[in-house]
Structure formats: C-alpha cells, structure tokens
Amino acid sequence: LVKLAQLTGLPVVFVAADIQREKVFNSWDRFRLPLPFARVSVTLSEPIIIPPDAEVDQEVEKLQIIFNKLTEQNKIK
C-alpha cells in the first residue's frame, strides 16, 4: 500500500465499519450482513499522503497506528 501510494501520488484513505447486530458468514472473507434495524457506523480517515522519498517501514508503522485509532474510535457503544 505504501509503495503504491508513493508511486501514484494518490492519498491513502482508511474506512472503518462497525455493526451493532449482524450475521457473520463462515466464508473466506467473514462477510458481515447487518440485521434489520441494526446500527451501522462508518468512519473515513483523512487522506494521508505518502511522500515519494519516505522510508517504507516507518510509513507502514504510522499507517498501522492511524488505522488502529480509527478502528477504536468507530466502535458502537
């Protein structure tokens, strides 16, 4: 992801979703289907620009921290 963002110059945008009541399918992707009247929360991160000369390992760590924070903030209470 970091390398692709560096090469294209396009920003990285994370999407986090949480579903209050859902059916999780026993498939390779663990597809999640919201049940009727379930609350669904979807949050997008700010666009993150990866500089072309950035160190890949450092950028991966930064993106992991951003993704973890976004996921934690998006939890339905």
Side-chain angles (χ1 to χ4, degrees):
L1 175 68
V2 171
K3 231 20 192 163
L4 190 60
Q6 283 179 324
L7 292 172
T8 62
L10 295 173
V12 175
V13 178
F14 288 117
V15 178
D18 194 26
I19 305 169
Q20 182 186 32
R21 295 179 328 130
E22 63 188 336
K23 163 87 170 124
V24 180
F25 290 88
N26 191 17
S27 61
W28 66 272
D29 63 351
R30 308 273 304 151
F31 183 77
R32 300 165 61 190
L33 179 68
L35 295 176
F37 308 107
R39 275 206 247 153
V40 177
S41 173
V42 178
T43 305
L44 300 170
S45 74
E46 295 292 325
I48 305 159
I49 304 293
I50 309 292
D53 58 344
E55 186 66 37
V56 174
D57 292 336
Q58 291 175 349
E59 293 300 318
V60 168
E61 289 178 21
K62 288 179 189 176
L63 291 177
Q64 185 66 46
I65 291 168
I66 292 169
F67 181 73
N68 289 341
K69 285 180 183 177
L70 183 70
T71 303
E72 191 58 40
Q73 290 172 354
N74 192 53
K75 299 276 185 205
I76 295 177
K77 295 171 172 81

